[in-house]
């Protein structure tokens, strides 16, 4: 059995219930076999087995009281996976689905995503099974403060720098950072995604969505295309989806879809900037459902279905897909539906939104396929830029940050193609992203010795 396959089998044996983590390890390890042949020092130093084991896993209870003074308890997690090239870095997710397997999968992916940015950031992830939907601001504040009462002892600007993720936006970051600052008596850049008024970076809210579109534009360019006139499907309706739509509009494309957990809307006229402003108000301020968008603009609304179900079942033609919702939202059947309906480019704005079966369909159909660790690295890249600004006590202009983000995404795209070519997999962004991210971390781990 090969080195990488033996690692996959060991992970499954040691943690048989962690299916999401297994999927992430398989996706990476299956592409790394050529590195074992070319770098025997990686095998000698057992890098493949060491890199799938987190440096530390922290689990804790989070007690909090609701507005009626009823006491609840949730689980909190922080997985500090690998800090070979910089402090642990990765978001905090608040969602009922959060468990140790999901946090480990996200933290493992973060190692390679952060490596690809070329910035000095290791990989980590955290979160809780707390559901912020339907909670008051006061309830969310109390939960965030309780969460930080434990997390604060494990993080720091040169140790571990969390950020936002699903269910954790500017409001939640503000509550957590304010409490950290109070109990530590320390005003340092220990969280990213902060408000501009207290150390945040311009373009950080837009960065993941913008970055995914920048990466897709680079992929399209390899075949002589751009976004002008392209029909684009976007899933999700949150921060990433909203700013992906904004950037597609700026580049001349037409977005025809968004969805949330209740429904999908298809707007054949396109979600222009005026409609996007309405969607942002609906989701960010009123916390409403996309069905209200359908009522307002008289568009089709499909209850209980995601975007990819609708495209497959309705035969809707698109050119580019930007999955920006959650893991495994595109299965094999939906991937085939995209291929049958003319799509030829997918850039993942979410973490692992395409199932292994979907990825196989994309590759067999000669798609331009940008995996999440490359295509959605814009968010963490701009978090790294926020860290740099905090360290130097500077605040860069919007154009300066956006320019740096664009250059980082172009650099990631080139690194993926160069690594794929170097290892005999021309044009394979999955292999290229995994190898380019892995080799840098592996060499740093060897340099440190056995620690």
């Amino acid at each position: 059995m090969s080195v990488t396959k033996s690692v996959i089998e060991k992970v499954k044996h040691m943690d048989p219930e962690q299916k999401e983590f297994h999927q992430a390890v398989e996706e990476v390890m299956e592409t790394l076999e050529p590195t074992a042949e070319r770098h025997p020092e990686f095998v000698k130093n057992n890098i493949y087995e060491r890199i799938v084991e987190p440096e530390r896993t922290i689990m804790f209870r989070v007690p909090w009281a609701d507005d009626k003074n009823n006491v609840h308890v949730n689980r909190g997690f922080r997985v500090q996976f690998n800090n070979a090239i910089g402090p642990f870095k990765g978001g905090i997710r608040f969602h009922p689905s959060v468990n140790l397997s999901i946090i480990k999968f996200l933290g493992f992916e973060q190692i390679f995503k952060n490596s690809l940015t070329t910035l000095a950031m290791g990989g980590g992830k955290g979160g809780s099974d707390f559901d912020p939907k339907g909670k008051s601001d006061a309830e969310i504040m109390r939960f965030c403060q309780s969460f930080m009462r434990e997390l604060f002892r494990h993080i720091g600007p040169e140790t571990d720098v969390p950020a936002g993720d699903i269910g954790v936006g500017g409001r939640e970051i503000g509550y957590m950072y304010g409490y950290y600052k109070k109990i530590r008596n320390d005003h340092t850049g220990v969280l990213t995604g902060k408000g501009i008024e207290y150390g945040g970076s311009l373009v950080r809210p837009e960065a993941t969505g913008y970055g995914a579109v920048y990466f897709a534009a680079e992929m399209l360019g390899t075949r002589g295309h751009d976004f002008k006139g392209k029909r684009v499907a976007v899933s999700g309706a949150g921060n990433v989806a909203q700013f992906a739509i904004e950037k597609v509009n700026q580049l001349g494309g037409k977005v025809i879809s968004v969805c949330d957990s209740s429904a999908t809307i298809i707007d054949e006229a396109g979600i222009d900037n005026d409609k996007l402003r309405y969607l942002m108000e609906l989701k960010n301020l009123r916390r409403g459902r996309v069905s209200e968008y359908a009522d307002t603009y008289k568009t089709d609304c499909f209850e209980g279905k995601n975007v990819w179900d609708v495209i497959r079942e309705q035969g809707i033609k698109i050119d580019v897909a930007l999955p920006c919702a959650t893991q495994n939202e595109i299965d094999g059947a939906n991937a085939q539906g995209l291929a049958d309906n003319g799509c030829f480019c997918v850039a993942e704005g979410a973490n692992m939104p395409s199932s292994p079966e979907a990825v196989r369909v994309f590759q067999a159909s000669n798609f331009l396929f940008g995996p999440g660790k490359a295509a959605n690295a814009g968010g963490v890249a701009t978090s790294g830029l926020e860290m740099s600004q905090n360290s130097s006590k500077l605040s860069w202009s919007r154009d300066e940050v956006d320019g740096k983000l664009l250059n980082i995404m172009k650099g990631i795209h080139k690194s993926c193609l160069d690594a794929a070519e170097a290892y005999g997999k021309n044009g394979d962004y999955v292999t290229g992203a995994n190898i380019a991210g892995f080799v840098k971390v592996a060499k740093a781990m060897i340099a440190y010795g056995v620690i």
Side-chain angles (χ1 to χ4, degrees), residues 212-248:
V213 176
Y214 287 150
F215 194 90
E218 291 298 304
M219 291 197 295
L220 289 169
T222 65
R223 295 188 186 174
H225 293 277
D226 57 29
F227 268 100
K228 290 178 182 175
K230 296 292 188 297
R231 285 169 58 88
V232 181
V234 171
S235 66
N239 182 71
V240 180
Q242 291 167 15
F243 288 111
I245 295 169
E246 181 173 279
K247 185 54 67 173
V248 169

Side-chain angles (χ1 to χ4, degrees), residues 3-5 7-8 24-34 47-49 51-52 108 112 434 438:
V3 171
T4 54
K5 283 185 170 58
V7 170
I8 293 170
V25 170
E26 283 187 282
E27 189 271 335
V28 172
M29 286 293 157
E30 286 175 350
T31 63
L32 293 184
E33 192 61 38
I47 295 297
Y48 300 93
E49 188 170 338
I51 205 167
V52 300
F108 184 68
F112 310 104
N434 289 338
F438 170 76

Side-chain angles (χ1 to χ4, degrees), residues 143-154:
F143 178 84
C144 288
Q145 291 176 345
S146 181
F147 186 85
M148 186 54 74
R149 270 197 295 275
E150 176 59 33
L151 185 64
F152 85 93
R153 69 188 80 246
H154 307 291

Side-chain angles (χ1 to χ4, degrees), residues 51-114:
I51 205 167
V52 300
E53 195 65 37
E55 181 132 335
R56 64 185 58 86
T57 299
I58 303 151
M59 293 178 60
F60 51 96
R61 70 170 180 261
V62 188
W64 59 282
D66 65 24
D67 289 340
K68 296 180 180 178
N69 213 29
N70 297 314
V71 177
H72 304 265
V73 64
N74 288 92
R75 281 184 172 177
F77 302 88
R78 189 68 184 172
V79 174
Q80 296 175 330
F81 227 110
N82 189 292
N83 65 349
I85 61 173
F88 303 106
K89 184 82 186 80
I92 293 172
R93 175 176 293 192
F94 292 166
H95 192 272
S97 67
V98 166
N99 57 34
L100 185 56
S101 176
I102 286 176
I103 296 300
K104 285 178 69 175
F105 124 60
L106 292 168
F108 184 68
E109 286 277 294
Q110 201 77 43
I111 301 169
F112 310 104
K113 181 189 300 186
N114 292 359

Side-chain angles (χ1 to χ4, degrees), residues 175-427:
Y175 290 151
M176 286 190 281
Y177 185 69
Y179 201 71
Y180 175 89
K181 185 173 69 69
K182 176 70 173 177
I183 59 182
R184 289 295 298 262
N185 192 27
D186 192 9
H187 202 308
T188 58
V190 74
L191 287 168
T192 56
K194 301 186 294 297
I196 296 299
E197 302 81 3
Y198 58 97
S201 174
L202 291 165
V203 191
R204 177 60 190 92
E206 300 94 329
T208 306
Y210 278 17
V213 176
Y214 287 150
F215 194 90
E218 291 298 304
M219 291 197 295
L220 289 169
T222 65
R223 295 188 186 174
H225 293 277
D226 57 29
F227 268 100
K228 290 178 182 175
K230 296 292 188 297
R231 285 169 58 88
V232 181
V234 171
S235 66
N239 182 71
V240 180
Q242 291 167 15
F243 288 111
I245 295 169
E246 181 173 279
K247 185 54 67 173
V248 169
N249 288 347
Q250 290 175 10
L251 297 180
K254 181 169 78 170
V255 175
I256 63 162
S257 69
V258 289
C259 70
D260 58 22
S261 58
S262 65
T264 285
I265 65 100
I266 300 294
D267 187 345
E268 287 288 353
I271 302 172
D272 60 23
N273 290 335
D274 288 338
K275 293 175 180 176
L276 177 58
R277 280 191 288 272
Y278 173 86
L279 180 68
M280 288 179 165
E281 178 187 344
L282 173 69
K283 300 303 290 186
N284 302 344
L285 300 179
R286 293 196 280 122
R287 305 193 184 279
R289 296 295 194 178
V290 295
S291 57
E292 296 178 52
Y293 177 105
D295 292 339
T296 300
Y297 293 105
K298 311 305 179 188
T299 67
D300 292 330
C301 180
F302 299 85
E303 299 285 346
K305 294 182 181 294
N306 75 16
V307 167
W308 320 112
D309 292 332
V310 174
I311 287 173
R312 173 173 55 83
E313 294 169 3
Q314 301 296 316
I316 296 168
K317 301 295 183 184
I318 64 163
D319 302 301
V320 179
L322 301 175
C324 298
T326 191
Q327 65 267 11
N328 293 322
E329 57 179 285
I330 304 179
D331 60 20
N334 286 340
Q336 189 60 55
L338 288 172
D340 293 343
N341 287 298
C343 183
F344 67 97
C345 178
V346 177
E348 295 187 327
N351 291 300
M352 210 167 66
S354 307
S355 72
E357 294 77 19
V359 175
R360 285 192 282 272
V361 171
F362 294 148
Q363 293 179 320
S365 303
N366 196 31
F367 269 58
L368 293 165
F369 175 63
K373 65 173 62 67
N376 75 24
V380 75
T382 307
S383 283
L385 299 177
E386 182 176 331
M387 292 164 64
S388 297
Q389 292 171 80
N390 291 164
S391 295
S392 57
K393 309 298 184 189
L394 296 175
S395 182
W396 300 333
S397 70
R398 179 182 177 84
D399 287 345
E400 190 171 2
V401 177
D402 195 25
K404 290 179 186 293
L405 170 62
L406 176 59
N407 287 334
I408 287 171
M409 297 311 297
K410 286 183 173 182
I412 292 172
H413 179 265
K414 184 176 186 303
S415 294
C416 292
L417 287 185
D418 288 350
E421 181 179 5
Y423 285 84
K425 295 284 187 177
N426 281 19

